[in-house]
Structures are given as structure tokens and as C-alpha cells.
């Protein structure tokens, strides 16, 4: 790979300011609605509230930069590093929110071993993935380490893809069918949207696919990145977990067989 090949990372087209502005404005309103609902309800899963708000924020900033900066500024190394960090942060924050939701949805008492996996192992894994991406971004513009940078990015994105798939296994194995019903629409939309975005990010970490999907327009950027994040974040605001999470195990009566006698899930 010669040093001129890294030019494929820069825009070969002028991004639409109107599209970015529209999505940014709606996400701004969604973030305010999320924040107000979280404060008003004193949302029980505090980490969940933080993850979703930060995901709103990073996506909003990414779109604002795209809508306001000229192509000459966007096509610089420093802006590439900033926008790349923002683009990768939002789906991973949503992934953390999905995993965190499993803890609160299960309603287990504190300090369960599996909950420690959710609270420590998964966030630590995401932190390692982000560290690899930071290293990749630092090495990318050094012609001696371009290939190593691409490999770091592919490993990081591949691991994110694995975690997005692993979520469904834990969702099935650790949450009872009755409890799944409480947040089934929200978790389904959020997890599918995250999987679509992370799959897209994984595939475009391969240079030849990146060139193919981003050569002359931003169609795939919106279809596979912005719109999945947009739908996921709007869904979190509409189906706020403070209204949907089931009561904890300790407060739920049981029948003679030990099964939980949960009330019917909320209809809205």
C-alpha cells in the first residue's frame, strides 16, 4: 500500500448539509425528551440513562460537524480522527445500553455473578475496542504503519460485531420469556439497529469495500449508519425504560412452583 491510498478515507463528494441538519435537529429534540423523562422519572438504571444520552450527544455532534464545516476542513487528518471517534462511539454506547438493560430487565438482586459480567467485562471489552481504534487512527497517517492500523481497526470492529451477536444469546438465556415481553419492541429495534450499524462499520474497515460503498455519495452512510442510530435513539426516547421495566424479583410474588406472578406488561 502506498501513502497516497489513505486518500480513500477522505470525502470524494460534498456531504449534504440539509440531510445532516434535519437528522441533527430531530436528535436534538429526542435528547431533550430523553433527558427530561429520565430526570422526571428518576430513572432506576442510571447507567442506562447516561449511555443513551451520550449516544444522542455523539451522533448529534457528528451530524453538526457534517452540516456546518466545509469539505476542505472535513478532509483533514484532525477532523477525520474526530469524526471517526464520534461515529464509532454512538453504536458502542447503544450496545452498552442494550447489555445494561438485560441486568435491569432480569430484576436480579445486586451482586449476582452474571451481573458483574455485564457491569465489568462488557464495558471493559468496549474500552479495549475503543483503545484499538484510537491506536489505529494515530497510526493510519504514518506510511510505515498503514497496514497495522487497518488490522487494528478490523480487529476492533470484528469484536464489536461479535458482542452485538452475543447479546442475543444472553438475551435468550438470562431473561425469562415473561420478562422479555416488557421491553420486547424497544430491545428488538435497538439491538437490530446496532447490529446493522456495527456490521456496516466492520465491512467498511476493509479498504476495497470502503471505496465501493462511499465512492461518490453518502447513500450507504445514511442507510447503514445514521438511520439505524436514529431509529434506535428515537425508540429509546419513545419507549422510555422507566415506564417499561418490570419490578424487581424481591417485590414479585410467586406461585407454588416458584414462577413469578408478574403483572401484564404496559400497553404503551
Amino acid at each position: 500500500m502506498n501513502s497516497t491510498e489513505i486518500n480513500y478515507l477522505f470525502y470524494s463528494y460534498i456531504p449534504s448539509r440539509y440531510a445532516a441538519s434535519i437528522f441533527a435537529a430531530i436528535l436534538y429534540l429526542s435528547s431533550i425528551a430523553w433527558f427530561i423523562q429520565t430526570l422526571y422519572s428518576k430513572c432506576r438504571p442510571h447507567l442506562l440513562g447516561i449511555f443513551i444520552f451520550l449516544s444522542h450527544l455523539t451522533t448529534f455532534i457528528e451530524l453538526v460537524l457534517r452540516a456546518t464545516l466545509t469539505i476542505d476542513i472535513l478532509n483533514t487528518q484532525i477532523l477525520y480522527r474526530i469524526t471517526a471517534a464520534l461515529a464509532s462511539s454512538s453504536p458502542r454506547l447503544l450496545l452498552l445500553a442494550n447489555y445494561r438493560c438485560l441486568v435491569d430487565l432480569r430484576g436480579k438482586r445486586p451482586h449476582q455473578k452474571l451481573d458483574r459480567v455485564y457491569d465489568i467485562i462488557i464495558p471493559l471489552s468496549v474500552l479495549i475496542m475503543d483503545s484499538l481504534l484510537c491506536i489505529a487512527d494515530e497510526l493510519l497517517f504514518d506510511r510505515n504503519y498503514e497496514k497495522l492500523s487497518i488490522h487494528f481497526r478490523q480487529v476492533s470492529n470484528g469484536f464489536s460485531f461479535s458482542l452485538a451477536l452475543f447479546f442475543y444469546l444472553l438475551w435468550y438465556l438470562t431473561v425469562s420469556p415473561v420478562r422479555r415481553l416488557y421491553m420486547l419492541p424497544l430491545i428488538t429495534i435497538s439491538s437490530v439497529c446496532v447490529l446493522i450499524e456495527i456490521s456496516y462499520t466492520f465491512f467498511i474497515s476493509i479498504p476495497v469495500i470502503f471505496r465501493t460503498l462511499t465512492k461518490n455519495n453518502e447513500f450507504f452512510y445514511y442507510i447503514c449508519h445514521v438511520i439505524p442510530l436514529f431509529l434506535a435513539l428515537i425508540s429509546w426516547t419513545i419507549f422510555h425504560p422507566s415506564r417499561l421495566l418490570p419490578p424487581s424479583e424481591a417485590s414479585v410474588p410467586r406461585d407454588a412452583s416458584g414462577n413469578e406472578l408478574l403483572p401484564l406488561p404496559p400497553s404503551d
Side-chain angles (χ1 to χ4, degrees):
M1 177 187 299
N2 57 58
S3 59
T4 61
E5 289 192 4
I6 60 173
N7 288 331
Y8 77 85
L9 295 168
F10 296 133
Y11 295 102
S12 58
Y13 57 87
I14 298 178
S16 170
R17 296 189 174 190
Y18 297 108
S21 298
I22 291 171
F23 280 105
I26 297 174
L27 282 180
Y28 176 73
L29 296 176
S30 176
S31 66
I32 293 176
W34 170 265
F35 187 71
I36 291 174
Q37 288 183 89
T38 302
L39 286 182
Y40 178 77
S41 63
K42 297 180 180 179
C43 189
R44 178 180 54 181
H46 300 298
L47 277 177
L48 191 55
I50 293 171
F51 289 149
I52 299 300
F53 182 75
L54 289 178
S55 184
H56 270 97
L57 183 62
T58 53
T59 306
F60 173 74
I61 295 173
E62 177 191 354
L63 290 168
V64 167
L65 293 178
R66 196 177 181 93
T68 57
L69 298 181
T70 65
I71 189 67
D72 292 332
I73 298 176
L74 287 171
N75 281 346
T76 58
Q77 293 185 19
I78 186 169
L79 257 296
Y80 169 79
R81 291 189 175 99
I82 292 172
T83 54
L86 292 170
S88 65
S89 296
S90 185
R92 297 184 186 203
L93 287 165
L94 280 170
L95 183 62
L96 286 174
N98 290 344
Y99 272 103
R100 178 63 219 181
C101 196
L102 294 186
V103 177
D104 299 289
L105 191 57
R106 286 171 56 234
K108 295 290 185 182
R109 296 180 178 86
H111 308 302
Q112 295 290 326
K113 291 182 179 179
L114 191 56
D115 293 349
R116 298 312 99 193
V117 173
Y118 292 136
D119 290 342
I120 299 174
I121 303 300
I122 300 299
L124 184 60
S125 299
V126 172
L127 183 61
I128 293 172
M129 291 185 293
D130 282 341
S131 299
L132 284 175
L133 274 182
C134 290
I135 296 171
D137 289 339
E138 288 299 317
L139 296 178
L140 185 58
F141 296 98
D142 186 331
R143 69 180 65 183
N144 297 317
Y145 297 104
E146 288 170 6
K147 288 186 178 180
L148 182 61
S149 170
I150 291 172
H151 292 326
F152 276 159
R153 185 175 299 280
Q154 290 170 346
V155 169
S156 176
N157 292 332
F159 194 36
S160 296
F161 181 71
S162 299
L163 281 181
L165 291 177
F166 186 58
F167 170 83
Y168 291 103
L169 179 63
L170 291 184
W171 164 254
Y172 177 77
L173 293 178
T174 66
V175 181
S176 66
V178 176
R179 285 182 172 270
R180 276 185 227 142
L181 295 175
Y182 278 79
M183 297 187 68
L184 186 60
L186 173 59
I187 291 299
T188 300
I189 295 171
S190 180
S191 61
V192 169
C193 287
V194 168
L195 183 60
I196 291 171
E197 199 287 334
I198 289 179
S199 300
Y200 167 74
T201 304
F202 172 67
F203 285 118
I204 65 171
S205 63
I206 303 170
V208 65
I209 296 180
F210 184 95
R211 294 188 189 95
T212 301
L213 296 184
T214 64
K215 185 177 181 180
N216 296 316
N217 59 66
E218 52 192 348
F219 176 79
F220 287 103
Y221 169 80
Y222 279 98
I223 292 297
C224 300
H225 173 68
V226 173
I227 291 179
L229 295 179
F230 177 84
L231 292 176
L233 291 170
I234 294 297
S235 297
W236 279 98
T237 300
I238 294 174
F239 302 106
H240 198 280
S242 64
R243 302 194 305 270
L244 301 178
L245 284 171
S248 64
E249 279 190 334
S251 61
V252 176
R254 296 176 180 271
D255 60 19
S257 303
N259 298 316
E260 291 182 304
L261 298 175
L262 285 163
L264 291 175
S267 57
D268 57 347

